[in-house]
């Protein structure tokens, strides 16, 4: 082996390796140092980095001025690894050349293969033959040749790009999808990638062709341009095509303008403007349409009443400091159903909650201040349901836990202030019982509550927790007397004064006795629980408005709650005992069991669940008697994939099922299913005149490697009708996801919009999505 100046050889080989790395940049392959290459800057490698060179021969031809590494060349430098059959540097021409099975592995795992690489020593120009690049995220690019021109452009000829893995059994088989282009031109000055005469192929067959397409390279975070179009199909709107355009206004502002053409209703324009600040973000949304065929909607609905329809929405959130956050989410639309009918994403809820809020979160306290306006989206042109909703301005919650123990126990407190108004009475009759969900007028309530508790552990292992609680309310009243509403009457003693006060003092004691039992192959934990709460009767029960304690379900999850009402407007009074047992079991063979069972007893005083109330919140709840209904829940999980869970309430005398949910599921690698049965007995005084029974089922079956079929149905047993149904087909592999689904949701309260929809989504990994229909069909559900 002959050698010349070793320092010169080392320097030139380092330059060669860097040149190879820099010349491998392409549009979808972010190889290291790409940005530097575009700007003709040397790689940023550590000065102390050492190079390891291995070759059969290292030759310096002094006459030809060529330095050569010959035979099994391996070079390791700064995390890069390169192998080649021969590496040469011509000092006269200033060209660096790697020949024969060139392979370069970058520190990030990307691999480049070529038959020949030829570049100038200043990296300004170069040529690569038979280029193939494989990235760490399994994307691949192949080109017949590549050329670097004037240090600013990289040109690939006859390039093919895909994110799909080759078929292991038949590598020559075309991938599921690939993009072919006659030329791929990467411009380092404009930071763009231009695809000339490009076509997208599926399974080797072209499905889309563009004469040219220019996109930003991976050094550009944002760039104005058209995004992938989406498609939709709906019963009363027709077939729709949406084309979004993304516009970069400044480094902190951008906008997306989407135009959608519907075959039945015309053109809808939707603009979303976004701005980022140092401490938060703001989004402004404006959309509108001049309907061509409003007669396609059901007569007498808000959808059929208007030609021009539109919406303006604003949403923001700002961090005042690490603990405090301020924000809002508001929407104003021309009618009460526009956003829902046209499925404007993020605005199409059945009820859109407009709110302004201020929140603070500390280590031992929490503050929340909010104002609400509920925008009910339905087909009623009179907008009655929305007018009956309360306007909340504001509601304030504050919770704290004292940092230091008090008498060895924990002291905590809650403060709630609620101020609401309503412009219309919300009263209705069901099965001969008048219910008042809301009264016209205004009311305010300030509530303060303190609680102290401490847990003692006896030598026998019994946990004893005494509890003391005190609460007070101050209430301002300026609402209609329910007996003044024409056609309605209230049997309770409603307070007609301008103000009221009430209080509650509670003394409680809880005893738990965890019992652990173990066997050779299992562990069981039994925990009997007894609670007793002594307190006076609820004052002004049924005499005050009830706005936040209307929803009530007695089950095992709230059996051991001190106050089982869901809000502050009602207070549980009288002396009550809660008795039950919890169980958890685990087995070495993978089986798991859990359960709760218990009952509640009214020991003394007036039962709050058996008193008058504007909405009869305690009627037929299971707590209205001295002995409550039995409540429980339980479940089992098996290693075979089966899972069963049940929640139930049984009549305390007959053991009849009053309320329950039964869930059965099974899951394997190829099959997933779930069956849910729900039963709610009639509660006429509470608003349910008949029993409600529904069966819901859904399943997913995988077949043919990547294919799945899924579906679901919900059947109303009482009305003997299918209320919701859905079926779909899905394909998913490492580079492509395709889902198509048909959904039919019966909405008896709103027949203006489409009852059925068809949605499809095609996702090409690293390229983007194509959508047909609104919503995410990948998460389509009947629930």
């Amino acid at each position: 082996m002959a050698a010349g100046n070793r320092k010169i050889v080392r320097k030139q080989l380092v330059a060669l390796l860097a040149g190879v790395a820099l010349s491998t940049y392409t549009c979808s392959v972010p190889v290291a140092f790409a940005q530097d290459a575009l700007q003709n800057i040397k790689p940023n490698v550590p000065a102390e980095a050492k190079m390891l060179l291995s070759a059969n021969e290292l030759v310096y031809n002094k006459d030809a001025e060529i330095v050569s590494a010959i035979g099994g060349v391996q070079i390791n430098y700064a995390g890069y690894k390169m192998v080649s059959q021969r590496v040469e540097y011509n000092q006269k021409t200033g060209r660096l050349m790697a020949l024969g099975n060139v392979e370069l592995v970058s520190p990030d795992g990307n691999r480049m293969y070529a038959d020949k690489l030829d570049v100038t020593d200043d990296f300004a120009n170069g040529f690569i033959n038979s280029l193939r690049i494989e990235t760490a995220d399994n994307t691949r690019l192949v080109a017949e040749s590549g050329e670097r021109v004037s240090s600013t452009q990289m040109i690939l000829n006859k390039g093919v790009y895909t994110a799909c893995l080759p078929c292991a059994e038949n590598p020559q088989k075309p991938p599921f999808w690939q993009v072919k282009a006659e030329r791929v031109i990467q411009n380092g000055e404009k930071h763009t990638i231009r695809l000339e005469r490009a076509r997208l192929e599926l399974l080797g067959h072209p499905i889309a062709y563009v004469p040219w397409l220019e996109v930003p390279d991976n050094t550009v975070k944002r760039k104005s341009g058209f995004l992938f179009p989406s498609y939709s199909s709906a019963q009363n709107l027709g077939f729709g095509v949406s084309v979004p355009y993304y516009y970069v206004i400044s480094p902190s502002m951008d906008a997306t303008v989407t135009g959608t053409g519907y075959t039945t209703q015309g053109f809808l324009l939707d603009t979303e403007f976004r701005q980022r600040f140092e401490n938060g973000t703001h989004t402004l949304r404006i959309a509108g349409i001049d309907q061509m065929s409003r007669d396609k909607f059901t007569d007498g609905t808000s959808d059929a009443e208007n030609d021009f329809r539109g919406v303006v929405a604003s949403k923001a959130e700002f961090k005042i400091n690490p603990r405090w956050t301020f924000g809002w989410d508001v929407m104003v639309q021309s009618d009460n159903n526009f956003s829902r009918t046209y499925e404007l994403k993020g605005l199409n809820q059945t009820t859109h909650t407009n709110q302004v809020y201020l929140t603070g979160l500390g280590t031992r306290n929490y503050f929340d201040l909010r104002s609400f306006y509920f925008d009910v989206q339905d087909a009623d042109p009179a907008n009655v349901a929305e007018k009956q909703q309360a306007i909340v301005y504001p509601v304030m919650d504050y919770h704290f836990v004292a940092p230091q123990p008090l008498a060895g126990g924990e002291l905590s407190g809650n403060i709630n202030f609620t101020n609401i108004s309503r412009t219309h009475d919300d009263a209705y009759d069901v099965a001969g019982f008048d219910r008042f969900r809301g009264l016209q007028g205004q009311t305010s309530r300030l509530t303060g509550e303190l609680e102290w508790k401490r847990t003692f552990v006896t030598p026998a292992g019994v946990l004893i927790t005494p509890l003391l609680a005190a609460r007070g309310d101050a209430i301002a009243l300026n609402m209609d007397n329910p007996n003044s509403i024409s056609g309605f009457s209230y049997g309770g003693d409603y307070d007609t004064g301008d103000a009221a006060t009430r209080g509650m003092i509670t003394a409680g004691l809880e005893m738990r006795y965890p019992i652990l039992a173990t066997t050779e192959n299992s562990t069981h934990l039994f925990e009997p629980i007894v609670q007793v709460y002594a307190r006076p009767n609820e004052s002004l029960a049924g005499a005050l408005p009830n706005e936040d304690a209307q929803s009530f379900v007695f089950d095992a999850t709230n059996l051991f709650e001190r106050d089982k009402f869901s809000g502050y407007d009602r207070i549980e009074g009288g002396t009550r005992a809660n008795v039950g047992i919890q169980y958890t079991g685990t087995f070495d063979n993978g089986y798991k069991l859990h359960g709760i069972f218990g009952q509640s007893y009214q020991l003394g005083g007036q039962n709050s669940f058996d008193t008058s109330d504007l909405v009869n919140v305690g009627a037929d709840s299971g707590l209205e008697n001295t002995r409550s209904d039995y409540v429980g829940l339980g479940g089992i999980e098996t290693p075979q994939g089966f899972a069963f869970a049940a929640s139930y309430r049984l009549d305390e005398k007959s053991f009849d099922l009053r309320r329950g949910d039964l869930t059965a599921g099974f899951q394997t690698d190829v099959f997933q299913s779930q069956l849910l049965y729900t039963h709610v007995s009639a509660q006429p005084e509470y608003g349910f005149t008949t029993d409600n029974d529904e069966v819901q089922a859904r399943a997913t079956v995988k077949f043919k490697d990547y294919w799945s079929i899924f579906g679901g149905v919900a059947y109303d047993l009482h009305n003997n009708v299918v209320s919701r149904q859905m079926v779909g087909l899905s394909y998913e592999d490492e580079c492509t996801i395709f889902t198509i689904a048909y959904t039919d949701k019966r909405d008896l309260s709103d027949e203006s919009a489409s009852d059925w929809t068809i949605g499809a989504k095609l996702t090409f990994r690293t390229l983007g999505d194509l959508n047909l229909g609104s919503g995410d069909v990948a998460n389509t559900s009947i629930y």
Side-chain angles (χ1 to χ4, degrees):
M1 179 179 71
N5 189 315
R6 294 183 180 271
K7 291 184 179 180
I8 296 178
V9 172
R10 180 182 185 276
K11 178 179 179 181
Q12 293 165 345
L13 288 176
V14 168
L16 172 62
L17 180 61
V20 173
L22 294 173
S23 63
T24 60
Y25 178 73
T26 62
C27 63
S28 298
V29 187
V31 176
F33 304 152
Q35 294 87 337
D36 294 339
L38 303 180
Q39 302 171 15
N40 194 22
I41 300 175
K42 293 183 179 181
N44 183 22
V45 298
E48 68 277 7
K50 296 181 179 180
M51 184 191 71
L52 176 63
L53 169 65
S54 174
N56 293 338
E57 291 184 85
L58 183 61
V59 178
Y60 178 57
N61 188 326
K62 187 175 181 180
D63 296 332
E65 298 186 59
I66 295 177
V67 180
S68 302
I70 304 171
V73 181
Q74 299 184 31
I75 302 175
N76 294 341
Y77 179 68
Y80 286 85
K81 300 178 182 179
M82 191 189 79
V83 297
S84 178
Q85 293 179 356
R86 185 182 183 96
V87 175
E88 293 183 351
Y89 173 62
N90 191 314
Q91 293 177 305
K92 291 182 178 180
T93 61
R95 301 197 70 88
L96 303 163
M97 186 177 298
L99 302 168
N101 298 325
V102 180
E103 178 181 353
L104 173 69
V105 181
S106 61
D108 56 11
N110 296 331
R111 294 175 179 269
M112 193 273 307
Y113 303 89
D115 289 342
K116 177 182 178 181
L117 185 141
D118 185 358
V119 296
T120 58
D121 56 7
D122 62 358
F123 314 136
N125 300 281
F127 178 81
I128 305 175
N129 190 34
S130 299
L131 172 68
R132 185 173 91 255
I133 297 177
E134 299 177 358
T135 68
D137 64 349
N138 290 324
T139 59
R140 286 163 168 74
L141 176 71
V142 178
E144 286 189 0
S145 61
E147 184 177 4
R148 182 168 171 78
V149 181
S150 301
S151 73
T152 60
Q153 289 189 350
M154 181 71 179
I155 301 174
L156 300 180
N157 299 307
K158 297 187 181 300
V160 181
Y161 171 76
T162 184
C164 301
L165 295 175
C167 177
E169 298 177 355
N170 184 10
Q172 302 303 318
K173 181 180 178 180
F176 189 87
W177 65 264
Q178 59 186 2
V179 178
K180 291 184 177 180
E182 288 295 315
R183 290 210 312 170
V184 181
I185 304 174
Q186 188 271 338
N187 191 306
E189 292 181 337
K190 297 181 179 179
H191 297 283
T192 59
I193 304 295
R194 182 183 176 91
L195 304 175
E196 296 182 349
R197 297 187 293 280
R199 65 182 184 270
L200 173 64
E201 295 185 355
L202 283 182
L203 299 174
H205 301 285
I207 64 169
Y209 172 83
V210 290
W212 63 270
L213 177 66
E214 190 169 271
V215 297
D217 64 25
N218 70 329
T219 65
V220 178
K221 295 182 178 180
R222 303 181 306 155
K223 187 175 180 63
S224 301
F226 286 98
L227 306 179
F228 274 105
S230 62
Y231 309 90
S232 63
S233 179
Q235 186 176 2
N236 297 324
L237 307 180
F239 181 76
V241 179
S242 300
V243 180
Y245 182 84
Y246 178 72
Y247 179 62
V248 178
I249 302 173
S250 73
S252 61
M253 290 187 291
D254 58 25
T256 302
V257 181
T258 303
T260 303
Y262 292 101
T263 56
T264 301
Q265 297 300 338
F267 181 76
L268 182 145
L269 184 64
D270 185 359
T271 301
E272 185 175 77
F273 169 82
R274 296 168 294 270
Q275 184 171 9
R276 180 177 293 276
F277 302 89
E278 291 185 2
N279 62 339
T281 60
H282 173 239
T283 301
L284 177 66
R285 181 97 171 264
I286 302 174
I289 187 173
D290 189 5
Q291 296 184 146
M292 295 191 309
S293 306
R294 59 176 179 165
D295 58 311
K296 294 293 184 180
F297 297 101
T298 305
D299 290 339
T301 64
S302 56
D303 296 282
E305 293 290 325
N306 303 282
D307 288 322
F308 177 80
R309 309 175 70 184
V311 64
V312 177
S314 175
K315 186 175 183 179
E317 182 171 281
F318 297 94
K319 283 281 188 182
I320 301 174
N321 57 42
R323 295 182 56 183
W324 290 91
T325 302
F326 171 71
W328 66 83
D329 182 358
V330 296
M331 177 182 75
V332 178
Q333 52 185 345
S334 58
D335 61 87
N336 60 317
N337 209 36
F338 168 66
S339 297
R340 185 168 178 238
T341 298
Y342 284 90
E343 290 291 335
L344 300 183
K345 188 175 181 181
L347 303 176
N348 58 349
Q349 308 93 334
T350 302
T351 300
H352 182 84
T353 303
N354 297 276
Q355 59 179 314
V356 180
Y357 59 89
L358 172 68
T359 62
L361 180 62
T363 56
R364 304 179 69 87
N365 55 13
Y366 171 75
F367 176 89
D368 186 273
L369 180 68
R370 293 175 186 263
S371 291
F372 295 100
Y373 180 84
F374 301 99
D375 193 337
V376 179
Q377 302 197 70
D378 59 19
D380 180 11
N383 214 6
V384 174
E386 182 172 321
K387 294 176 181 178
Q388 292 176 335
Q389 297 298 311
I391 303 173
V392 183
Y393 42 73
V395 58
M396 184 270 288
D397 284 289
Y398 177 69
H399 172 77
F400 70 90
V401 177
Q404 300 297 328
L406 177 64
E410 179 186 84
L411 178 67
S412 62
N414 292 288
I415 299 175
N416 175 266
F417 174 73
T418 301
N419 183 26
I420 67 170
S421 70
R422 185 178 279 101
T423 60
H424 289 64
D425 290 311
D426 184 6
Y428 67 99
D429 172 86
V430 55
F433 299 97
D434 292 339
R435 304 183 77 241
F436 304 87
R437 286 185 299 199
L439 301 174
Q440 181 177 335
Q442 183 174 358
T443 182
S444 301
R445 174 184 40 77
L446 177 62
T447 299
E449 184 177 40
L450 289 174
E451 180 186 83
W452 174 89
K453 60 182 179 181
R454 180 180 179 182
T455 299
F456 300 88
V457 181
T458 69
V462 179
L463 281 69
I464 301 176
T465 303
L467 175 147
L468 295 173
R471 167 179 164 170
D473 298 90
I475 306 163
L477 299 171
N478 187 22
M479 283 191 159
D480 287 351
N481 187 327
N483 291 301
S484 67
I485 303 175
S486 177
F488 295 90
S489 64
Y490 177 54
D493 185 17
Y494 188 77
D495 192 331
T496 59
D498 295 331
T501 59
R502 64 181 177 181
M504 178 64 67
I505 297 177
T506 303
L509 183 68
E510 178 186 88
M511 298 180 65
R512 295 173 177 254
Y513 186 26
I515 303 172
L516 180 63
T518 59
T519 67
E520 292 183 356
N521 57 8
S522 64
T523 301
H524 307 268
L525 178 63
F526 302 89
E527 188 176 28
I529 304 173
V530 177
Q531 296 175 328
V532 177
Y533 295 111
R535 53 204 164 194
N537 293 338
E538 179 187 5
S539 60
L540 299 175
L544 301 173
N546 180 3
E547 294 286 348
D548 69 353
Q550 296 186 10
S551 175
F552 181 72
V553 175
F554 174 50
D555 57 22
T557 62
N558 58 14
L559 170 63
F560 299 110
E561 292 290 334
R562 172 168 60 88
D563 190 333
K564 296 178 177 59
F565 283 114
S566 58
Y568 287 98
D569 285 337
R570 292 294 307 271
I571 307 174
E572 186 176 340
T575 300
R576 177 173 290 275
N578 304 312
V579 180
I581 186 171
Q582 294 185 148
Y583 165 76
T584 302
T586 58
F587 298 81
D588 293 346
N589 56 9
Y591 283 84
K592 297 180 181 179
L593 303 173
H594 70 275
I596 300 175
F597 183 79
Q599 192 177 28
S600 185
Y601 303 87
Q602 187 73 23
L603 301 181
Q606 176 64 47
N607 187 345
S608 293
F609 302 99
D610 189 31
T611 59
S612 298
D613 185 271
L614 291 169
V615 293
N616 298 318
V617 69
D620 298 313
S621 64
L623 283 167
E624 70 276 12
N625 299 317
T626 301
R627 292 176 54 199
S628 78
D629 288 346
Y630 297 99
V631 293
L633 59 82
I636 178 174
E637 298 178 16
T638 73
Q640 293 81 19
F642 289 97
F644 303 92
S647 175
Y648 53 89
R649 177 165 65 86
L650 306 177
D651 187 272
E652 55 98 8
K653 294 180 180 179
S654 65
F655 285 91
D656 292 337
L657 180 64
R658 296 304 183 194
R659 188 183 188 101
D661 295 297
L662 177 63
T663 304
F666 177 69
Q667 180 173 344
T668 65
D669 293 337
V670 297
F671 181 71
Q672 299 178 28
S673 65
Q674 186 179 59
L675 179 67
L676 176 63
Y677 168 71
T678 301
H679 169 79
V680 180
S681 293
Q683 296 175 257
E685 295 183 60
Y686 190 49
F688 299 103
T689 57
T690 60
D691 291 353
N692 290 286
D693 294 271
E694 186 178 68
V695 175
Q696 301 176 6
R698 61 180 174 182
T700 300
V701 181
K702 293 184 179 180
F703 65 97
K704 299 280 288 185
D705 295 330
Y706 306 111
W707 290 93
S708 299
I709 185 171
F710 58 91
V713 62
Y715 188 77
D716 187 337
L717 297 174
H718 179 75
N719 295 310
N720 196 28
V721 64
V722 175
S723 56
R724 302 179 296 278
Q725 56 186 329
M726 176 266 296
V727 65
L729 181 69
S730 177
Y731 173 89
E732 181 176 357
D733 61 18
E734 78 283 349
C735 63
T736 311
I737 301 175
F738 170 72
T739 304
I740 184 170
Y742 166 82
T743 304
D744 186 354
K745 294 186 179 182
R746 184 180 299 272
D747 189 347
L748 300 178
S749 64
D750 178 12
E751 297 184 359
S752 65
S754 302
D755 292 328
W756 59 263
T757 58
I758 296 177
K761 184 175 183 179
L762 180 60
T763 300
F764 299 111
R765 186 171 71 88
T766 72
L767 289 186
D769 302 331
L770 292 175
N771 291 286
L772 170 63
S774 58
D776 186 358
V777 296
N779 296 320
T780 299
S781 172
I782 64 170
Y783 302 105

